Amino acid sequence: SQQGEEDPQALSIQEGENATMNCSYKTSINNLQWYRQNSGRGLVHLILIRSNEREKHSGRLRVTLDTSKKSSSLLITASRAADTASYFCATGGGNKLTFGTGTQLKVEL
Amino acid sequence: DSGVTQTPKHLITATGQRVTLRCSPRSGDLSVYWYQQSLDQGLQFLIQYYNGEERAKGNILERFSAQQFPDLHSELNLSSLELGDSALYFCASSVSGGASYEQYFGPGTRLTVT
């Protein structure tokens, strides 16, 4: 069963706009990671945020983590058509990652 | 290119058959993970190996088994295949065995059971 649940399930925006995806999880975590998957291809790691961190940036990505609410958000600024993909959060605890259900992002020209 | 290779890319087989999927991790990575991705179940963790030994088990069926060899490549064996086993199977690797490390995913093997 999935630990994380992403919201929204699907998101369609215009190029240049910002995209925000949310992830909620159920149990305590050591870290939370975000991955991107282009259609039918392998997942690509985007960013890792540890449980003692609240915010992290990487290029056009901004991730926040609120452990009290058991939630995280991924913000992609100034989106591009190439950002079209599915985005998954993954919660880390013990030896394994548990992936959420994903948000399908479509960036239109 | 993640540095993780998987073969074959596609596999079509009949129900009841047995197949072997192969994965070579990134150079230097000791840990290998196997995942199954299907439309109805999403991305499911199957099993993890670290330096040749099983480290964690997820939703892996008894009909499935895996191993990691001394050269660190891994194989996932699927037997008595059913239609519901049709899915994308991903292998991922990481430098260490804990969940605090990013995982590098291979391109996947698409299995179709007819």
Side-chain angles (χ1 to χ4, degrees):
Chain A
S1 61
Q2 253 74 8
Q3 152 91 298
E5 296 287 335
E6 282 92 338
D7 175 69
Q9 287 186 337
L11 178 60
S12 182
I13 59 174
Q14 297 292 316
E15 197 172 47
E17 294 180 339
N18 295 342
T20 300
M21 288 158 267
N22 302 295
C23 168
S24 59
Y25 57 92
K26 296 175 184 171
T27 62
S28 297
I29 60 171
N30 295 329
N31 66 80
L32 188 143
Q33 304 183 34
W34 284 90
Y35 286 79
R36 184 188 76 228
Q37 183 181 30
N38 290 86
S39 182
R41 307 184 73 170
L43 280 73
V44 175
H45 180 266
L46 295 176
I47 198 165
L48 181 154
I49 185 166
R50 303 195 186 281
S51 59
N52 61 352
E53 297 175 308
R54 292 295 168 259
E55 188 170 312
K56 204 161 182 181
H57 297 255
S58 177
R60 294 184 295 111
L61 306 180
R62 173 179 167 251
V63 168
T64 62
L65 179 64
D66 186 334
T67 53
S68 67
K69 295 181 179 178
K70 291 187 168 59
S71 68
S72 174
S73 68
L74 170 67
L75 168 67
I76 304 174
T77 60
S79 64
R80 305 166 182 168
D83 295 328
T84 294
S86 292
Y87 292 82
F88 295 86
C89 67
T91 49
N95 289 319
K96 66 176 187 177
L97 287 179
T98 304
F99 285 82
T101 51
T103 291
Q104 290 186 4
L105 172 65
K106 183 175 182 181
V107 181
E108 299 181 6
L109 295 171
Chain B
D1 183 4
S2 66
V4 178
T5 61
Q6 288 187 250
T7 57
K9 195 171 180 179
H10 299 278
L11 200 48
I12 302 174
T13 189
T15 53
Q17 295 298 307
R18 172 190 169 95
V19 297
T20 298
L21 313 184
R22 182 188 169 103
C23 166
S24 292
R26 279 190 333 154
S27 176
D29 284 358
L30 298 178
S31 203
V32 169
Y33 307 79
W34 285 98
Y35 294 90
Q36 178 194 58
Q37 187 177 39
S38 61
L39 283 175
D40 55 344
Q41 293 290 322
L43 191 64
Q44 298 282 329
F45 166 72
L46 295 179
I47 197 164
Q48 177 205 358
Y49 280 83
Y50 176 74
N51 204 19
E53 294 193 4
E54 183 182 306
R55 177 65 70 92
K57 222 167 184 176
N59 302 321
I60 188 166
L61 300 172
E62 285 191 9
R63 300 183 285 108
F64 296 0
S65 65
Q67 53 184 326
Q68 185 179 29
F69 295 87
D71 67 352
L72 300 178
H73 90 271
S74 178
E75 292 180 356
L76 178 67
N77 300 296
L78 315 176
S79 62
S80 302
L81 285 168
E82 302 174 359
L83 294 177
D85 298 328
S86 295
L88 263 172
Y89 291 84
F90 289 106
C91 163
S93 72
S94 69
V95 64
S96 185
S100 298
Y101 298 89
E102 64 183 272
Q103 295 183 14
Y104 295 86
F105 279 73
T109 293
R110 183 173 294 279
L111 173 66
T112 302
V113 182
T114 62

